Every structure is written in C-alpha cells, then in structure tokens.
Amino acid sequence: MTGHDHTHSHHDHDHHDDRWKHDGVRVIPGNQLDTNVPSTAGMDRAAAINFARVGAQKLWAGTVSIKPDAKTGAHHHGHLESVIYVVKGKARMRWGESLQFTAEAGPGDFIFVPPYVPHQEINASRDEVLECVLVRSDGEAVAINLDIEPIEKPETVLWIDPVHRDPNEEK
C-alpha cells in the first residue's frame, strides 16, 4: 500500500452541482399558492405547479375547494387527463353524455378523468367544504363548458375489479 490519500474531496464537483441549485427540486409552500386562476362560482382554485411558477412543461397541479352543496356545470377538459385527490369532504362525480353515471369519493381517494369525458364535480356534503388536490397532464387550462340536460336519477357506477366486489352480487 502506498501512502496516497484516496479520499477525494468534493470541492472539484461544486461547479457542476450549481446548475441544479435553482433549476432542481422546488418546494411550493401550501400558503404560497397562486389563486389567480380561472374559478367557478362556489369553487376556489389555486395553482401550485405550472409553467409560470416553476417551469413545468407537461403538468398543472393545484388545489380546489368546493363550498358545501356547490357543483360545477357540465364540462370536459379537452385532451387533458386529470387526477383529483380528495383531501377532505365528500366528492360526487357525474359523467356521461347526459351525466347519467355517478360515483362518490372521500378522503384518501383518487379520481381519474380521461380526456373529453363530459363530467360535473359536486360537493356531496351540505355542511363540509370539499378540499381536493388536482393534477392535469398539461400546463394549459382547458375547460369546455357543455350544455347538457342532466338525467335526474343518475346510475351509480361501482368500481369493480378483483379487489372491489359488487356488494349486490351473490357471494
């Protein structure tokens, strides 16, 4: 063994690391969201991640809170995919050409809305605010309002897969 010191100092790497310093990971505190986004009556949206704030190219993320008993009109989001995560409250989604399908989601549940699907978000509670996190697959805000005459009694759609069985079917 020779007496050479093989513990390399990290000082010769510093100039490489600097390029990530301001263009690397970004933390956006929850109390610093941008509320200057298009909103609907009864709904408050706030942007956390978008192009203007952090340079995001392919995503938009933020929060949505919907007042008790409030709902959106029927709309779709064009080519965008949306993911809604329910933080607090009870969400009811209606979708379809006549909003004839419905499903509910509570805290901890995720909702996926595919492109071009006509839908409506509803706060299913009369006294609790519905708080959600929303992520979309593009930075642009696309919302196409639709003139749909809703079916009065929508059909409930249960999520049935190998894990979630229809409670009405025979055991």
Side-chain angles (χ1 to χ4, degrees), residues 25-37:
V25 173
R26 301 280 296 274
V27 173
I28 294 83
N31 62 359
Q32 292 176 25
L33 305 190
D34 181 4
T35 53
N36 187 23
V37 290

